[in-house]
Amino acid sequence: MFKLDFKFFYLSRKYRNKDVVELARCIHNVVNSIHSRFDLDRVPNVLFKFKSGEIDEAHHLPDKMSGRGDFTRNNMTTDYASSGRLSEARKLFNETPSKSFITWSSLISGYRKYGCNVEALELLWQTRPEGHKPSQYTLGSVLRLCSSMSSLRRGEQIHGYSIKTCFDSSVFVLTGLVDMYAKCKCIFKAEYLFKMMYDGKTHVTWTTMITGYSQNGYGFKAMECFRDMRAEGVEANQYTFPGVLTACAAVSAHDFGAQLHCCIVRAGFEANVFVQSALVDMYAKCRDLKSARRLLETMEIDDKVSWNSMIVGCVRQGFQVEALSLFKKMHKRGMKFDDFTYPSVLNCFASNMDMSNAKSVHCLIVQTGFEGYNSVNNALVDMYAKQGSLGCALTVFNCMQDKDVISWTSLVTGCAHNGSYEEALKYFCAMRTTGICPDQIVVASILSACAALTVLEYGRQVHATCLKSGLGSSLSLDNSLVMMYAKCGCIEDANQVFDSMQTRDVITWTALIVGYAQNGKGKDSLQFYDQMVASGTKPDFITFIGLLFACSHDGLLENARHYFESMDKVYGIKPGPEHYACMIDLLGRSGKLAEAKQLLNQMAVEPDATIWKALLSACRVHGDLELGERAANNLFQMEPTNATPYILLSNMYSAAGKWEDAARIRKLMKSRGISKEPGCSWIEMNSQVHTFMSEDRSHPMTAAIYSKIDEIILLIKETGYVPDMNFALHDMDEEGKELGLAYHSEKLAVAFGLLSLPRGAPIRIFKNLRVCGDCHTAMKYISGVYLRHIILRDSKRFHHFKEGKCSCGDYW
């Protein structure tokens, strides 16, 4: 037997650097010569230690050997597994009666190496060589496999097995368990095991725990763990530093990251591309673009991950030009883009409205074959939608094969952002039909659309869906709910959502302040403002618009003066045209046109259309034709296609009995091709919208509606209602004017509501224009006679009519 072993040793030395197949043939000849005297399983495994590229020719040689044994099969199985021929390896493994433990472990490693994770786990549990158990290295290897698959259940089974087999004290197994639990989002279990390891922690163990903290969002714990590691005298390496730097980036710990940078230089890892990439990302996310740029320029290798981090950092800080410049440099250097590069660049175009270059990047995406990536397509949909090109956004969206929640969210939010609220609702319904569960972002957008369209029932359904699905709450979502309920006239529901919120910001408070103001409860708005200031929340530009609006519509002149002065003196907020417009509107409502004119002349900003409209409306109320003509003439120049100043001035002439001047303005309006938006009112009932226009007779219930109006007018006249002929703006006799007033769209809508809604149910009416004064008076009487709560939203605000009174206090 010694001679045989020596013969094989001689052959292996002789053919060490020569053709392995020739070596195999020689061994085959030796085996044939001793076939009758020796067991073939004594053949050394040198026969099968050959290069994978020659395996096809070499593996046929043992087939000619009669009585091929388990030793041969085990070696062939190992070689097949290591070379990636897994199906052949598994076949031989199954055919081998006496399986080697080494072969079994090698096949598991082969499956893991080539991504067949499920098969590796099945092999571990289902097929095991008799009398053998996995070693600590096999368990550690399989635990890392569970980590890559995020298979918590399998990992826990292996944890239990390691306890039974007393491998739970092995550093190799424990490190694998820490990694598995961390990757499966069970960071506290990983932390417990890590802290139970009193001795034997290697740099691999520390790095695993640091990375686990970082990946699970515990940046400060990762930094503390790194400090503890240094205190224990364990040195960090090129795998440790990226994990800590990622944690610093997540919590914006710039100073700690800069200290790490010094450690990296002292340890000699400053040239490692992975460490450099993590440094660039850390500095960029900590808003230190200068340091990130300096590092990027000193890198010897053009690493696209680092460039992507730099581009994202520029985009997040609003430096779109710099981000696009970096993208162009990448292109010039011939660097390959990926599905992280394109979305970042497309985000630049979402805000700078550069459609030409945006389409060029879109063409580059198609040329480089990234049009099939969801992340890229989602960014394209979002970019086109934010630029107002909903057609392009929809084209990209329709071409996507696999639409996810981000795809639908980009389209729905894009429609809402561009004012296409009905389209937003339509696509939201389609999204739900396809089975995609909405996220908080799309729900917040759809609630904003509901608020704009004042579709209360739809908004309630969306709210109910959120509660049933367990979507949870967020500040953005709760703010959208407050605004939706407030803008739909349900201020009590808005307040209920507000009270349930754990955290509030200036948007939350402002939404409630404006909501109460629009619903005729200006004094409540001022109380909420005091509460906001007491809570430590500072008001912003929009908050003061809501406050002044509340004062304007409640006639609170002195309060308005106080808030207006405090803007600059207390909070350093310079009043804008919107604030001046509110003050002029309030002064006009209070009959102080002279003071309004004085404020107009003292303004620190140039008066815009909003200010002139406020002044014109005040002149309309108080009949100041001279000042009204000045305001209207300025509006003719600023907004030549807007019909509002023509209508208001014409109405002022009509109210003053100057019919010829009124006709002249209307003729001028017609000659310039300006058409008046027709006034209409509508009621939503049973998911249907019923629309009415003045003297409209197109509704199926017209006869009943007009009969109800006759009844209404008769009853409210008995309680004191007198038609206000100042709002009958047609040159006709008194009887004709009175009939014209009786058939305004608001009155038709309330008649329909009285006929169709259950007794006692509130009547919600919406109007596209401002409610006329006569209809406003009539609604108060109707609410008292019929004991109904009438909620009327016009273009300015809500009017809540109850028991003969209006929430606006006649400051409408």
Side-chain angles (χ1 to χ4, degrees), residues 260-410:
L260 277 174
H261 193 175
C262 296
C263 293
I264 289 166
V265 173
R266 286 200 299 267
F269 292 111
E270 71 275 14
N272 183 276
V273 67
F274 299 107
V275 176
Q276 285 180 325
S277 178
L279 276 168
V280 171
D281 182 65
M282 184 274 296
Y283 280 124
K285 287 181 178 175
C286 291
R287 306 180 72 83
D288 186 359
L289 293 180
K290 185 177 180 181
S291 298
R293 187 68 175 262
R294 190 186 305 117
L295 267 171
L296 189 70
E297 290 172 351
T298 58
M299 291 179 68
E300 296 181 1
I301 300 174
D302 283 336
D303 176 51
K304 64 184 177 184
V305 176
S306 304
W307 283 77
N308 286 345
S309 298
M310 190 69 202
I311 290 173
V312 171
C314 290
V315 172
R316 285 179 175 173
Q317 295 189 48
F319 299 115
Q320 284 85 7
V321 176
E322 289 81 354
L324 292 173
S325 175
L326 288 167
F327 177 73
K328 291 176 182 177
K329 285 183 179 180
M330 287 182 72
H331 190 46
K332 285 182 180 178
R333 294 190 183 194
M335 297 176 65
K336 290 184 178 180
F337 304 128
D338 59 16
D339 55 329
F340 294 98
T341 312
Y342 285 120
S344 302
V345 174
L346 290 170
N347 283 335
C348 297
F349 298 116
S351 56
N352 69 4
M353 307 301 287
D354 186 357
M355 182 59 77
S356 176
N357 282 323
K359 289 188 174 180
S360 297
V361 173
H362 191 176
C363 292
L364 189 61
I365 288 169
V366 175
Q367 290 172 5
T368 51
F370 280 93
E371 73 275 16
Y373 285 74
N374 258 26
S375 59
V376 176
N377 282 326
N378 290 340
L380 279 168
V381 172
D382 182 66
M383 181 270 294
Y384 279 127
K386 286 180 178 175
Q387 290 211 8
S389 299
L390 289 179
C392 295
L394 192 57
T395 299
V396 175
F397 180 82
N398 289 333
C399 291
M400 294 177 66
Q401 297 297 320
D402 185 21
K403 302 177 182 71
D404 57 15
V405 65
I406 300 174
S407 316
W408 287 97
T409 299
S410 299

Side-chain angles (χ1 to χ4, degrees), residues 157-194:
Q157 290 175 346
I158 294 172
H159 188 183
Y161 182 80
S162 67
I163 294 173
K164 290 179 181 179
T165 53
C166 297
F167 280 131
D168 58 321
S169 59
S170 164
V171 173
F172 194 78
V173 173
L174 281 171
T175 303
L177 285 169
V178 170
D179 181 63
M180 183 273 297
Y181 280 122
K183 294 277 178 60
C184 293
K185 309 298 181 185
C186 296
I187 189 63
F188 294 112
K189 289 185 178 180
E191 183 183 61
Y192 174 80
L193 289 172
F194 178 78

Side-chain angles (χ1 to χ4, degrees), residues 625-641:
L625 270 174
E626 182 181 353
L627 190 57
E629 286 174 341
R630 178 188 170 190
N633 287 328
N634 278 285
L635 286 169
F636 292 161
Q637 296 176 5
M638 291 182 175
E639 297 181 348
T641 60

Side-chain angles (χ1 to χ4, degrees), residues 511-673:
L512 205 62
I513 289 168
V514 174
Y516 270 97
Q518 288 181 332
N519 282 272
K521 298 185 178 182
K523 292 180 181 178
D524 291 322
S525 293
L526 306 191
Q527 290 178 3
F528 277 108
Y529 172 75
D530 293 336
Q531 292 178 29
M532 179 186 78
V533 174
S535 70
T537 305
K538 291 184 178 180
D540 63 7
F541 190 91
I542 307 298
T543 308
F544 281 105
I545 294 177
L547 274 176
L548 295 175
F549 179 88
C551 294
S552 175
H553 286 269
D554 268 39
L556 305 173
L557 181 57
E558 293 306 316
N559 296 84
R561 284 173 174 158
H562 167 71
Y563 294 131
F564 188 76
E565 291 176 3
S566 69
M567 285 181 64
D568 192 11
K569 291 182 180 179
V570 179
Y571 298 104
I573 301 172
K574 299 293 182 182
E578 300 89 346
H579 304 100
Y580 282 106
C582 288
M583 287 301 298
I584 288 173
D585 181 62
L586 176 53
L587 290 169
R589 289 172 184 272
S590 304
K592 300 181 181 295
L593 288 179
E595 191 176 341
K597 186 177 179 180
Q598 183 181 0
L599 180 62
L600 182 70
N601 295 330
Q602 295 175 350
M603 281 173 50
V605 296
E606 194 68 24
D608 65 357
T610 308
I611 294 172
W612 289 115
K613 285 177 186 175
L615 188 61
L616 182 57
S617 296
C619 294
R620 163 75 176 85
V621 173
H622 297 285
D624 191 330
L625 270 174
E626 182 181 353
L627 190 57
E629 286 174 341
R630 178 188 170 190
N633 287 328
N634 278 285
L635 286 169
F636 292 161
Q637 296 176 5
M638 291 182 175
E639 297 181 348
T641 60
N642 187 357
T644 301
Y646 294 91
I647 301 301
L648 288 176
L649 185 58
S650 175
N651 290 347
M652 287 177 68
Y653 283 133
S654 299
K658 295 187 176 184
W659 301 108
E660 291 182 1
D661 289 330
R664 176 176 57 82
I665 294 297
R666 291 185 181 276
K667 185 177 180 181
L668 177 64
M669 178 179 169
K670 186 176 180 181
S671 66
R672 293 180 177 178

Side-chain angles (χ1 to χ4, degrees), residues 81-305:
S82 63
S83 62
R85 299 175 66 163
L86 300 175
S87 59
E88 293 164 282
R90 184 58 183 266
K91 182 181 178 183
L92 272 174
F93 180 81
N94 292 337
E95 291 174 351
T96 305
S98 179
K99 298 174 177 64
S100 164
F101 170 73
I102 296 175
T103 310
W104 176 67
S105 298
S106 299
L107 187 55
I108 291 174
S109 299
Y111 276 132
R112 179 173 174 269
K113 178 181 177 181
Y114 291 99
C116 300
N117 299 331
V118 176
E119 290 83 351
L121 287 174
E122 288 179 351
L123 186 64
L124 177 70
W125 295 110
Q126 296 177 4
T127 310
R128 187 180 305 163
E130 187 175 347
H132 293 285
K133 64 179 182 180
S135 67
Q136 58 176 324
Y137 303 106
T138 305
L139 289 178
S141 178
V142 176
L143 281 168
R144 281 169 174 74
L145 189 149
C146 295
S147 300
S148 63
M149 296 174 62
S150 297
S151 179
L152 177 62
R153 187 175 65 86
R154 292 284 191 179
E156 288 176 332
Q157 290 175 346
I158 294 172
H159 188 183
Y161 182 80
S162 67
I163 294 173
K164 290 179 181 179
T165 53
C166 297
F167 280 131
D168 58 321
S169 59
S170 164
V171 173
F172 194 78
V173 173
L174 281 171
T175 303
L177 285 169
V178 170
D179 181 63
M180 183 273 297
Y181 280 122
K183 294 277 178 60
C184 293
K185 309 298 181 185
C186 296
I187 189 63
F188 294 112
K189 289 185 178 180
E191 183 183 61
Y192 174 80
L193 289 172
F194 178 78
K195 289 182 177 180
M196 291 298 292
M197 297 172 65
Y198 298 108
D199 299 312
K201 294 177 186 172
T202 66
H203 71 276
V204 177
T205 314
W206 285 97
T207 299
T208 301
M209 194 66 238
I210 290 169
T211 305
Y213 278 135
S214 180
Q215 290 176 343
N216 282 273
Y218 293 90
F220 290 111
K221 280 183 172 288
M223 293 156 58
E224 290 174 5
C225 190
F226 178 78
R227 281 200 294 260
D228 293 342
M229 171 184 170
R230 298 269 294 173
E232 292 288 333
V234 180
E235 293 296 328
N237 60 12
Q238 69 269 30
Y239 302 106
T240 314
F241 286 118
V244 192
L245 289 168
T246 301
C248 293
V251 298
S252 299
H254 177 273
D255 293 343
F256 195 95
Q259 293 174 12
L260 277 174
H261 193 175
C262 296
C263 293
I264 289 166
V265 173
R266 286 200 299 267
F269 292 111
E270 71 275 14
N272 183 276
V273 67
F274 299 107
V275 176
Q276 285 180 325
S277 178
L279 276 168
V280 171
D281 182 65
M282 184 274 296
Y283 280 124
K285 287 181 178 175
C286 291
R287 306 180 72 83
D288 186 359
L289 293 180
K290 185 177 180 181
S291 298
R293 187 68 175 262
R294 190 186 305 117
L295 267 171
L296 189 70
E297 290 172 351
T298 58
M299 291 179 68
E300 296 181 1
I301 300 174
D302 283 336
D303 176 51
K304 64 184 177 184
V305 176

